[in-house]
Amino acid sequence: MTDPRVTGAARYAQDVELDGMLHARIVRSPHPHARILSVDASAVPEGAVVLLPDDVRELGAYGCQIKDQTVLVLERARFVGDPVAAVAGTSQEAAREAAELVEVAYEELEAVFHAVEAAEPGAPLVHDPQAISDGDAAYFDMRPQPGTNVCHRFRIRHGDVEEGFVEADVVVDETYATAGAQHAHMEPHAAVARWEGERLELWTGTQTPFNLRSDLAGVFGLDPERIRIHCPPMGGAFGAKTFVRIEAIVAALARKAGRPVKCVLDRGEEWLTLNRHPATIRVKVGARSDGTLVAKQVWCWADTGAYADCGPGVAQKMGFAAPGPYRIPHVWVDSHAVYTNLPPNGAFRGYGQMQSTWASELAMDLLAERLGIDALELRLLNVLRDGDRYCTGEEMHDVHFAECLEASARAIGWRENRRGKGLAVLLKGMQTPSRAAIGLERDGDLYVVRCATAEMGQGARRAISLMAADLLGVDVAHVRFPDPDTDLVPYDTRTTSSRSTYVMGLALERAVADLRANGERGYGEIEIGGGLDPDTGQGVASHHWHQGAAAAEVRVDEETGKLEVRRLHASVYAGHVVNGPAAELQNEGSMIMGLGTALFERIDHADGQITNANLSDYEIPCFADVPRLTHDLVEREDAEVHGLGETALPPVPAAIGNAVLSLGLRVRELPLSAEAVLAAVDEREGVRA
């Protein structure tokens, strides 16, 4: 059967058309921080519908982890692009013209644009204290720091780190940075809203239909059952289509208009909707002369932008991944999600792990250099094995870090010649706790899967259908998987964290058993516990760990600073592979996104205004940039399914950075631009800036 994405038959949220539908445009603040003095829509023609702050003033606040957002700005715009009003017209052009006629008066306020500076005492405050969300996306205890821009602080306290550094013969202390990045999914954010009395119906590309329903219920004061979310396939997401994005505005505008309203963002608006967290991470790590790690201390500052979104969760995962997959008796971590006056930052493929892996793994190679020990051997000496305990206190099981490292090293001929070559290893946690349910219905010779797992190009539908067919003993052609619809499918937390195949697979086993017992219908539910104490970092960070390593070979032109990645390999532990071709494509996609992070991708801004919000100035990899690309899917007989939608991304930039380091060039910031490489050459040669 031909894939509908190939033929063009696939239909996405932006393709939805309803009778009498209007089109929406958003009026946005041109200032990074400003008080709204007035909003005047008197020049807008009568045919358009305008949503003003007074129309939404009585609606509830929302936010997946901290309730710090309102449908429109009510008092202060907090970033360039913050929605101040919205307009609906009979066409996109009419709406655009009407939006340009809305006059807004502002009083500019002092702004802050860097997370480390924003976390300092006395920095301009982006928010007054906000309420912590009561939704299931706030699945851990949050620690906002009153009177500061820190909306969450996570700590690990394991052993006595000061004592550990006394025991160390060699100590490395370095600070690393990663730039913000755009998800650059092909399909823009799009939503269509329709009201029938006090019932809201939405069509939107979302990874989190039930979270979205819950947040909108809070905004409009409705029982969640009075909101129906249709979730068509997405043309890419990578974390950008989680939680409320444009849906609250579109729903409020549709309610005022009394007609359906559709909004499809322009490409430039994507940079104003959600990006990846820029981060600054300081790593201090100590070892004995024989290479045994004894202490590690890490400080993380994750720039969550003007609204928290899932920044607290990103900072927490960034924090508990920062020690790396190593046995270290003394570990302290302080990780902060920090407000700034930049567009919001949230979930991005790798979810905080890339930033941590970049810093941790570059520090490991620097430590190896100072110890005079091979970088691979240093890792193998200290890497976690079965039965070891991580610094969170949890016992590690089904551990394959060493195997992934060895496979990656072999792929690039590490032991023959190490010049221009680099390695990196990571551990990545999945969402904990987690809850999922799935339904099965028999319809003649077809089995219908009722499931909230969203399809965004990752092949989840195919994987779950294959598992259902295998469990039922039928051909996959006899399994149907309709689009998720919150009126028809059982609850699931969300399609994130590389969890869906594993968690839904467990629920599916129960649903098949129930169907066999009951005849026509089956239901299966699974709930996974866990969680960490945010003040000590002790507990269960992940039900199981996603594991992988990467290796790179590079060439550097020291005259121009041009960095060429000649070879890239990733080894990922997959446990049991359900769909081999899709798993391979996931690895390749992750590696290419990692390559983009390493070499190109950076959101630039001047005084809060993004200066490269288009796909001409913001560079992503093209086919000509892709080096020789290979990968392993490491399997084990009778193993569980391990999610792998993100695992190959985080170690790639670090492997490339370490390959550059092997040439005597110390780089500390992503992306690795020509200017950064030339600065590293100057540093090596002792040239003053």
Side-chain angles (χ1 to χ4, degrees):
M1 188 174 79
T2 305
D3 191 317
R5 292 171 297 182
V6 176
T7 63
R11 288 293 175 262
Y12 304 92
Q14 69 179 53
D15 297 316
V16 175
E17 299 284 335
L18 300 179
D19 291 341
M21 186 176 74
L22 299 176
H23 298 266
R25 297 296 304 172
I26 298 171
V27 180
R28 300 178 181 274
S29 168
H31 304 293
H33 199 192
R35 184 169 287 109
I36 307 299
L37 301 179
S38 64
V39 182
D40 182 1
S42 59
V44 175
E46 288 187 6
V49 179
V50 185
L51 188 72
L52 299 170
D54 282 346
D55 295 318
V56 300
R57 201 170 297 278
E58 301 305 316
L59 298 181
Y62 67 90
C64 57
Q65 293 179 346
I66 294 179
K67 291 185 178 180
D68 54 7
Q69 288 188 260
T70 51
V71 177
L72 297 173
V73 171
L74 299 181
E75 295 178 0
R76 283 190 290 155
R78 293 178 168 90
F79 71 95
V80 174
D82 215 351
V84 176
V87 178
T90 54
S91 67
Q92 292 189 37
E93 294 75 15
R96 192 185 304 273
E97 291 172 3
E100 291 173 355
L101 297 174
V102 177
E103 300 267 345
V104 185
Y106 300 91
E107 176 191 348
E108 292 189 57
L109 303 170
E110 189 178 3
V112 62
F113 304 119
H114 193 280
V116 176
E117 295 171 3
E120 292 292 324
L125 292 181
V126 180
H127 284 275
D128 298 323
Q130 297 291 329
I132 294 172
S133 173
D134 54 3
D136 66 25
Y139 57 88
F140 53 90
D141 291 333
M142 262 161 277
R143 294 290 185 268
Q145 302 301 291
T148 77
N149 285 313
V150 176
C151 61
H152 179 53
R153 182 198 67 198
F154 170 75
R155 290 177 169 174
I156 295 177
R157 294 295 184 264
H158 173 73
D160 185 332
V161 79
E162 292 183 4
E163 177 186 318
F165 284 119
V166 170
E167 297 175 16
D169 297 308
V170 175
V171 175
V172 165
D173 190 343
E174 285 283 339
T175 299
Y176 300 92
T178 56
Q182 227 299 299
H183 300 77
H185 38 77
M186 291 180 68
E187 179 206 15
H189 283 85
V192 181
R194 175 173 68 190
W195 290 83
E196 293 181 357
E198 284 299 300
R199 179 168 171 79
L200 170 62
E201 194 168 12
L202 267 161
W203 290 258
T204 184
T206 179
Q207 299 170 240
T208 59
F210 282 95
N211 293 130
L212 175 63
R213 187 180 76 163
S214 176
D215 277 349
L216 291 176
V219 168
F220 293 103
L222 298 175
D223 186 299
E225 301 295 329
R226 299 189 69 80
I227 299 176
R228 183 177 189 177
I229 308 294
H230 300 270
C231 184
M234 286 164 274
F238 312 115
K241 295 171 182 174
T242 48
F243 311 113
V244 178
R245 297 291 163 235
I246 59 174
E247 293 86 359
I249 293 174
V250 177
L253 194 49
R255 188 167 71 166
K256 182 172 182 179
R259 294 168 63 179
V261 170
K262 176 179 182 178
C263 182
V264 180
L265 294 186
D266 287 346
R267 178 58 60 182
E269 290 180 289
E270 294 295 338
W271 277 260
L272 307 177
T273 303
L274 199 75
N275 301 306
R276 184 186 69 201
H277 287 78
T280 301
I281 300 179
R282 178 186 168 194
V283 179
K284 183 178 179 182
V285 58
R288 296 193 182 98
S289 58
D290 65 357
T292 304
L293 297 178
V294 291
K296 191 167 189 179
Q297 189 165 10
V298 185
W299 298 261
C300 307
W301 294 268
D303 181 342
T304 203
Y307 299 100
D309 198 77
C310 61
V314 170
Q316 184 140 321
K317 286 197 174 183
M318 189 181 295
F320 71 65
Y326 302 110
R327 293 184 307 277
I328 311 174
H330 306 285
V331 176
W332 280 20
V333 175
D334 290 84
S335 187
H336 308 87
V338 186
Y339 287 125
T340 64
N341 292 110
L342 291 174
N345 299 305
F348 190 102
R349 196 176 194 175
Y351 205 84
Q353 320 288 141
M354 183 281 297
Q355 297 94 323
S356 283
T357 304
W358 165 251
S360 176
E361 288 297 282
L362 262 70
M364 280 294 286
D365 265 41
L366 190 55
L367 181 64
E369 178 184 296
R370 293 186 181 173
L371 287 165
I373 297 177
D374 176 79
L376 173 61
E377 298 307 323
L378 178 63
R379 288 176 169 84
L380 293 176
L381 174 66
N382 292 283
V383 79
L384 291 163
R385 312 274 179 164
D386 273 319
D388 286 340
R389 289 196 176 273
Y390 191 47
C391 60
T392 57
E394 58 205 281
E395 184 175 336
M396 305 297 289
H397 56 88
D398 198 15
V399 176
H400 299 269
F401 299 111
E403 186 178 352
C404 291
L405 271 168
E406 292 273 23
S408 295
R410 281 195 304 272
I412 61 166
W414 175 266
R415 289 189 167 90
E416 288 78 45
N417 172 22
R418 295 163 197 162
R419 182 168 175 77
K421 297 176 181 178
L423 298 168
V425 64
L426 91 154
L427 85 171
K428 177 194 170 292
M430 61 182 283
Q431 177 194 327
T432 301
S434 185
R435 179 176 152 223
I438 197 165
L440 276 176
E441 301 171 11
R442 188 162 187 168
D443 182 11
D445 64 347
L446 285 178
Y447 292 90
V448 182
V449 177
R450 299 291 183 187
C451 174
T453 295
E455 178 59 53
M456 48 191 168
Q458 84 280 36
R461 278 185 175 177
R462 179 69 176 172
I464 292 171
S465 296
L466 284 168
M467 288 191 292
D470 183 58
L471 290 166
L472 291 162
V474 301
D475 188 273
V476 71
H478 293 275
V479 177
R480 190 166 65 88
F481 192 147
D483 292 343
D485 175 338
T486 56
D487 271 14
L488 301 177
V489 302
Y491 175 85
D492 180 29
T493 47
R494 59 198 69 95
T495 308
T496 62
S497 195
S498 301
R499 61 178 281 282
S500 294
T501 305
Y502 171 70
V503 179
M504 279 300 179
L506 295 178
L508 184 61
E509 290 179 9
R510 298 184 179 185
V512 170
D514 190 44
L515 179 103
R516 284 179 172 150
N518 296 305
E520 296 300 317
R521 294 178 183 273
Y523 174 80
E525 183 173 344
I526 186 75
E527 189 158 0
I528 297 172
L532 296 174
D533 183 319
D535 301 313
T536 66
Q538 301 304 293
V540 176
S542 188
H543 179 67
H544 65 219
W545 293 93
H546 300 160
Q547 307 161 48
E553 184 176 359
V554 306
R555 180 165 56 193
V556 173
D557 184 332
E558 295 190 6
E559 295 296 320
T560 64
K562 178 177 173 58
L563 169 61
E564 178 190 357
V565 179
R566 306 181 69 188
R567 180 85 162 82
L568 195 57
H569 183 89
S571 296
V572 170
Y573 179 57
H576 166 64
V577 174
V578 174
N579 183 351
E584 292 174 2
L585 289 171
Q586 288 279 43
N587 266 3
E588 292 173 6
S590 288
M591 293 169 72
I592 292 169
M593 286 189 77
L595 183 73
T597 286
L599 300 185
F600 308 116
E601 297 189 50
R602 179 189 193 93
I603 295 176
D604 295 320
H605 61 87
D607 297 325
Q609 176 74 52
I610 294 177
T611 58
N612 61 338
N614 58 73
L615 290 176
S616 296
D617 297 322
Y618 181 87
E619 298 180 72
I620 60 174
C622 67
F623 280 115
D625 299 312
V626 178
R628 183 183 171 200
L629 201 71
T630 56
H631 57 89
D632 303 311
L633 287 168
V634 179
E635 293 189 77
R636 181 178 63 80
E637 190 175 351
D638 298 325
E640 295 180 324
V641 171
H642 275 232
L644 45 75
E646 305 162 273
T647 314
L649 191 161
V652 165
I656 294 170
N658 281 332
V660 174
L661 181 62
S662 76
L663 302 174
L665 304 176
R666 290 176 61 184
V667 289
R668 301 175 181 87
E669 185 170 351
L670 289 172
L672 299 171
S673 63
E675 293 80 4
V677 172
L678 290 174
V681 172
D682 288 345
E683 181 181 353
R684 186 190 64 193
E685 303 301 325
V687 178
R688 290 179 179 269

